Amino acid sequence: MDLDDFDAAIAQLPLKEEPTLSTQSAKAAVNYLDSQWYSLVNRRGRWMDLIGDYAGSEPFIVDGEALIAMVLEDPLLALGRTHDISFQCLHAVYTLECMIKQISMRSDSFDIVFWHERRFLTLLYGENDYVTSSRSLARTILFNHLASLRLSVHTFTDLLDPAWLAYQRLRKPMFVMTSDGGAVVDSSPIAAAERILLQRVFLYSLLTQGVSVAMLRGAEYRDSKIMSFVYEQGLDSNPKSRFKKTFWLAVEIATSSLIAHENCARSEVPIHPLERRIESEASDNPALLLLRGVSRSRNLQRKHFPALLQVFVAHMLFLPHLDLRERAIPDIILPSELVGLLTRDFLPTVFLALEKIASVSDLDGRIFASLLDSILRDHTTPLQTLIGCDLSSVLVKLWVAHQLPSPDYDALRRQFPASIVVQDDSETESPPLSLLPFHHRLFDEELAAVNVEAEALSDDDEDDEESAAHLEFNTVFSDTQHWHNHKRAILPPYLGGGNSMAPLNEWQKKRQLRSEQRFMSKLQWHAETLTGALGTPLQQMVIPSVAKRKSRPTNSSRIEESKPTTPTRSGSGKKGKETLSSADKIHLAYWAQKQAKEDGSNVAWWQEQLAVIENSSSSAASSSSKITALEHLMRNKRTYHGWLSVESRLYRIHLEFCRWLEVPDHESASVRDRFTVSIMCMVKDLYESEDLFPTAAAKLAACLICLGLNDYIQAFESAATVSAEDRKLHFSFVKLVKSKGVWHPVHKWMRITEDPVVWQLRLFGDFMDRSMDSARDPRVSFKADAWQRKVLDCLDQNESVLVVAPTSAGKTFISFYAMEKLLRSSNDDIVVYVAPTKALVSQIAAEVFARFSKDLGGRAFWAIHTRDYRMHNPQNCQILVTVPEILATMLLSPPLARSWTPRIKRIILDEIHTIGQQEGGAVWEQIILLAPCPLLGLSATIGEPEKFNVWLASVQEAHGFKHTFIQHPHRYSHLRKFTYLIEPKEKPAEFQGLQEYRKSDRLRFIHPISMLSFGARHLPPDFSLEAGDCLSLYHALESVRDRLHFNVGSLDPTPFFADLKGVLLKQRDILRYEAVLTGHVSELIESTDPLDQDSVLNQVIRHVSDPVIVKVNQRFIPDADAFFRNLIGLVSDLHINGDLPALLFHFDRKVCEKMAETILEVLAGAEAKWRETSPEWRRKITQWKFWVSKSKERERQAERLKKVKKEKDEANATPKTQPEQGWEASFNPDDPSPQFSFAGMSPAFTKEDLDDEIRSLARWRSAPEWALKCLQRGIGVHHSGMNKHYRTLVESLYRAGYLRVVIATGTLALGINAPTKTSVFCGDSPFLTALMYRQCAGRAGRRGFDLLGKIVFYGLPMDRCQRLVLSKLPSLGGNFPLTSTMVLRLFNLLQGSNDAPVARNAIKSLLHLPHVSFVSDVGREQILHHIRFSIDYLRRSGLLDERGNPINLFGVAAYLYYTEPSNLALVALLRHGVLHRICNQRSLIRAKRDLMILLSHLFGRRYLPHTYASREFLQTIVKKSPSMVVLPPLSKDARSVLLEHENHIKGIFTGYALAYVSRHAEELGRDLQLPFSKRAICPVSSTAPSAPFTDKLRSTAIASVARSPFVATSGHGDNFRSVKELCDTSRQALYLNEYAIPSMCQFTAIPGEDSKEFALNAYLLDFYIHRQTAALNAANGLRDGEMWYVLQDFSLTLKSIRGGLFQLLQKASDSGSGEDDAVSEVDSGFANMTRAERDPDLDGSEHGSVKPPAGVSDRDWKVYEVLDALTAEFHEKFHKIWA
């Protein structure tokens, strides 16, 4: 479903015509498939986190064949290589388990699946027979090993295998991690092309079955994330129809060809599908089984075969006695002719014979080669002597038992004399780099435990230091300027900041003042639309300053009624008579007199209003009209409190009974249900009133008797507060009971006819008491639940708290209680509120403004600070609302560490679960690690929060703060799910207006239990049932009671709630009932075969399912046309059902806009047609035109009224002006007609206010015209690409009730106060995850607004809806926060703050943590080693001096901390003069282009799937597009510098690995276990016989220290070729994080040649050259919704580089500091406005001509000039596109 027209964009390119398949060759078929399908699928692919951002905890598949193929293609693995007889299976198994561990660490929801038809990907038939047989044997061994692990391994024939289809229905895998086979090139062998073709067809078949595909090859395992390309495609019931018949014929030919190759290679041993090995087979002696199989082979007659076979069997007998160290031997050089014999004849035969019997440790090619080499070299020592007597005797017995021919070793030696040994220097281990001297008082103390001595510089060190001679000024850095604009200070002058920008002139100051005034005006209006937890407007709390409060006593902290109360001894717990003072007595007397006066006034007013209501229109006025009048009357504040509140609500009950009596079929069951529920709600609420009097209580009792709820009267009256003073009613209450004798109801048909408990479950669930042990608490103005009171206690005790509770549970007040507490206690302390999005920052700031007021003597008590703008002074406020990136920067700011950071008393981390996001998650971890105060973490959606809390508690306790975890699992309001059915090929009726619209039956209720038809094997923790759902589930269980093993009668509601007889059920009672019911359902799930359609569970599911939903295709997805065409019907149905306001969610910005435009177009079109034909409209227009024509007459009349106004009473004059208030006065024919608008009525603003806002947005072009027209019709769009002022307006109008339809991305999901009745999920998206679903769904049914929230799925297949509802939240992912740049910034914090205590304490506590990250197993000892060697790297990179001072290019590195290692690569290139050589070219144009290419390689890197980047496909695009698509290669100069830098990094961290292992060798022990299974395959210690061959192995064994001994069996020591290899193949317990070490591999890798197969997208360079966003979309594959973000990020990157470089040059200049004009800080900033945030009054220019600082060389300054020119040019192009 191409909703965003992404596919249509490339369709507009004039690509070459569809290729023909003139031949059935595999190459032609692959090219045809790629051009017609796979390249386009590649273009749609998204590079994303497979776990955190896509699948969550959903099951997925790892393709076993692709997994094994990747293992066998490991360049370090000596197995299956031509001309090399090594068969190092131990290494292969180790690599396999490493890959499994990488996946399982991040998710345990995967299965490994093998499809027999896919074997060709691994076996490489058509290649060398030796390679094929080696891989075949390895495949079998690795499969058997996988099958023996604690993994779910499945085998199927193909994708049409019934077992696979059944598995798919059962497990519902979300995607398959596999390979696409690679690319076909001209040199590809035919067999290779055939394998690739079959793999492509496999992918196509998977996608058409509705299973997504992710690439296993090229995936990055970064922290807790698996990054890879994801490809999606819709279900296709007829997949073969898409391609030509000749293509499918080519597929058949390729299959037949590969099978023929297979039959040829395995003529004696036919292939069989993989299957688990029987235990008895595995336990037999493999050598015995081998000889038994080979003894009948014709190959025994071949020359030398017996000798080779005996040596091979001897090595198999010898292996079980060797430990891992003895098997790590270098490559053995055998005679080439012998190798040819072995690989051509002998080994293929043996390997095929071993397939069914060999296991991991049964054979070793290197040991076999070594033994064979010993025989060839030593003519005097027979084989029996070489291997020892015991093994020799076993070998002889086996040989004799199988009657095998005697080997002729002399003939073997004569034909194949031993090779001359040549020293191989390829594995000569280069010594690691020594540590450079370093001393720092704090780090010397903390790093004393690692005690790695620094040595004198080696020659290599000196050469490196001398070669990096550029920009080496050794200047200490000062972090005082804005990162993106070096002319703007980020600190006030008194903290070291100073602006080099010119002072503002008067005109600029006025503009800035107007901007601030406008901002505050909008913020105030924003605040007025906010409501509290009960849906009431916020009341501002005036908090006096601490100084004022000390000088005089103050009243209560909260804004409450001024009603006097009798003094109490709060908290004393003592009882006693209080003595009233004279003042108190006078106050009470005055209050009583005032109340009496008000009471008299209220009586008169009430009687008058009753008379008006009763006599309105006619004596026969219907009760409905009276109810309408009364409800309007009850908005008057008089009816809010006191006896009038009770009587007015009692009168409302009276009218409800009257209305019931007026209904013609009032005795029907449906009518009874409707009225009993409405009446009971009002009775229940009135019983809870504190102003109830006896007469009213008696009437309520009569109501209960009438409804047949006599048993409930006592419970109600015992809980009610009834005053002793009675009052008479001012109206006659309807007669409900006969008063003579025992009270009997007058209308028996009003009685509830079923058991009251069943009635409550069926109808009253929405209105049950939701409180959880609620009680009054003086600290808050509402009854707080027990868990809320516990949170308050923790805050009062200054503890750190993590609160996990669902949306609507009542978390909001917690933050504001913490703020209020701080504001009352101090004038200087700070609380920082951290929100993940700028939209939430704006809302929280508005809410702070609405809730609190405090006079601090001219300075604001609150401030906003984001990357784009700030309001008030962030360093001089008490409540700072910010985003995590800003707070992390401030916590790491040296000047602030001295004055600002110590004042922080609490940090509030809202939506703390965003710590697990791919982008920005590490910043949250940094805040937690550096926080100098207790934390308050809030979230509704943390999967397995206990795990995260353990780490958070350890961090807080290390800082000295007690930590408490509080979890509340229950929502306040339930979420009821619906699906909106769109029938295939059905066209909805033409929309003719809301008045003419008739409700459809497309909105269908989804019972939660019916979701289990999806095949779920467990219920998620947040699975919930409403009261009605529980009842229907009970009935369903009752219907199959004969097939159940438990007593269903115990679930009957009447006996189940017998202990609550006469008491209304509460939500907590339903939770108890639900727990029992779902417990039985869980048992059914566990005991049921999900494929058994007649199972008990499936019968229960069918009983509660909507039959209409059951009949539809569960996997049907409407096309884009049907999706947009039916939108108006969806919204109209919601309108008719009363389910507006609604939030419609889709996660693509362009689709959101298109949805709004579609609805607008339908409304406007229907309105235009109606106005053309409607007599009513014509009459109205005629009448209005006539009214307009009389305008002058009305003006004259108004003048006459003014003249007589002074002579008349104002009350009498007013009615004469009323004619001006007719409908004509406010009518505008250009406004939408009500029946073509979803706009609501709002008292919060007038139509004129809205018109003013729209004009303002239109004036500054802040929003497109269609968006403004949508606002007029009650429709809004909300996503981060929309202008900030427009978004804020949408939020305010939505809260005010005017906008009733808002279409949004996830921007409204993270905590925004946008209470909605319905959340609608419109269409599918890769970003619609379990987490995002719960975030968005949680907007519905907010506490204080709705008792019930509704969830609607629109345009999603039913199985996708079920997956979303039943999926559980994944565990939080995390990051490794101690990167090299982070270490550097910590030194900057210490140095710049002069070792401020807050900085020292933060770093010391960080270094003492047991684990630095909640997803890391790295212990403290290894962290200290990592830091020490990171320091050495920073020293060698010229970023840190010997005393720990940040120097030179620190600014560039620190400003771009979030891009590591790109920032450090740039530093290396700057230091080694690469940028100097680029920028000092004669041509400025050429210099800028080359610099742009270089920076595009470092920053904003986006991969291209290799098929999309293939030469064939690119030729069709580049010819017709201005884009080059693929980024040109990195220059040789830059690549050579980065390669050299990589070698230095490798040397440093190899030294780290060696030092750590050497120091901790004893506690680490020997590395003998496999990484995932923890199995020890080889013996712990050698039992090899004392024999010559044993001595040879031990003397030649490779003694590795840091390298895994499993990898060493392929002949590798501690000489690592890259940082990645170091991390991937180092021994266990040495936790090397590839992404915590600043490796340069990703920059130096060449696509197609190195391990990275993905080319880089040239979108940045292309935009810089042609500035065409359409080309970026069509050719480069950038979606419209992401384009602005990625270009803006690069623009900010350029500015950061420019700023850091300028500060360095300025600092290096002798006179630089004296030339700056220090000016006062601009408090409200808006330093760097994005397009969506830009204020129209602010000038966007940031740069001007800058003179070179004195003393800076021309070459250095030229770098700055070219960089500045490039930055300005790119920003200008970017700004013009989106101006």
Side-chain angles (χ1 to χ4, degrees), residues 334-386:
L334 295 174
S336 59
E337 295 83 358
L338 178 58
V339 172
L341 173 63
L342 290 169
T343 58
R344 183 178 60 253
D345 298 323
F346 177 75
L347 288 177
T349 302
V350 172
F351 286 168
L352 292 178
L354 283 170
E355 272 191 7
K356 287 192 173 182
I357 56 179
S359 61
V360 174
S361 59
D362 288 342
L363 63 160
D364 187 315
R366 291 282 173 95
I367 301 297
F368 168 59
S370 182
L371 183 56
L372 193 55
D373 180 68
S374 297
I375 290 175
L376 296 178
R377 293 185 183 282
D378 192 345
H379 298 265
T380 61
T381 307
L383 175 63
Q384 290 76 6
T385 305
L386 281 175

Side-chain angles (χ1 to χ4, degrees), residues 45-62 102-103 106-107 109-110 174-178 212-222 224-232 916 918 1326-1327 1329-1330 1370:
R46 297 177 188 264
W47 179 263
M48 61 192 309
D49 176 12
L50 298 181
I51 307 303
D53 291 337
Y54 189 61
S57 60
E58 289 299 290
F60 63 94
I61 288 173
V62 177
Q102 289 277 32
I103 299 172
R106 294 156 177 86
S107 174
S109 301
F110 68 95
M174 195 161 182
F175 63 89
V176 175
M177 286 191 79
T178 184
S212 299
V213 169
M215 289 296 100
L216 182 62
R217 184 179 302 280
E220 293 182 357
Y221 301 90
R222 185 186 294 268
S224 60
K225 306 163 184 63
I226 303 178
M227 306 297 300
S228 184
F229 278 109
V230 177
Y231 304 138
E232 294 183 312
Q918 174 195 346
F1327 302 105
T1329 61

Side-chain angles (χ1 to χ4, degrees), residues 319-324 327 1566 1568 1576-1583:
L319 281 178
H321 303 280
L322 298 177
D323 63 18
L324 263 178
R327 294 178 65 165
R1566 294 173 57 194
L1568 301 177
I1577 295 179
C1578 296
V1580 176
S1581 59
S1582 175
T1583 59

